[in-house]
């Protein structure tokens, strides 16, 4: 089993979501999906930092920045996540050990 963890640090505290899959590619996909949902569903006033880990190893940190008007820039966070997804899943960078 390959575990994944998404840690979300925001002004109101830190939460974590975890999961596991039979292979690295599936675990990476589940982690990306959980992160995407968290970014989309985040409170309009907050700028969380997302920490993504696969099998205990740090994959990346994604910080929610600000738009020119001072609002949380979720689109930029989603764009960064799409880049990570492309690197992990889209370009066969996640190799299945089986």
């Amino acid at each position: 089993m390959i575990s994944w963890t998404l840690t979300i640090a925001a002004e109101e505290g830190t939460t974590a979501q975890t999961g596991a899959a039979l292979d690295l590619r599936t675990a990476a996909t589940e982690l990306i999906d959980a992160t995407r949902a968290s970014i989309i569903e985040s409170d309009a006033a907050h700028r969380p930092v997302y920490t993504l880990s696969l099998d205990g190893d740090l994959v990346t940190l994604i910080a929610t920045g600000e738009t020119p008007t001072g609002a949380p820039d979720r689109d930029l966070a989603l764009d960064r996540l799409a880049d990570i997804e492309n690197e992990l899943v889209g370009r066969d960078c996640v190799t299945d050990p089986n």
Side-chain angles (χ1 to χ4, degrees), residues 19-38:
L22 294 176
D23 60 75
L24 199 53
R25 181 179 300 281
T26 303
T29 300
E30 290 176 5
L31 175 60
I32 295 293
D33 290 346
T35 306
R36 182 177 290 112
S38 292

Side-chain angles (χ1 to χ4, degrees), residues 38-81:
S38 292
I39 292 170
I40 291 169
E41 295 169 2
S42 66
D43 186 312
H46 298 288
R47 291 164 186 80
V49 175
Y50 303 91
T51 303
L52 290 72
S53 300
L54 277 172
D55 216 21
D57 295 326
L58 176 67
V59 173
T60 194
L61 297 169
I62 299 175
T64 307
E66 286 187 1
T67 65
T69 62
D73 195 344
R74 283 185 192 74
D75 289 339
L76 185 60
L78 289 168
D79 288 347
R80 176 67 181 125
L81 182 64

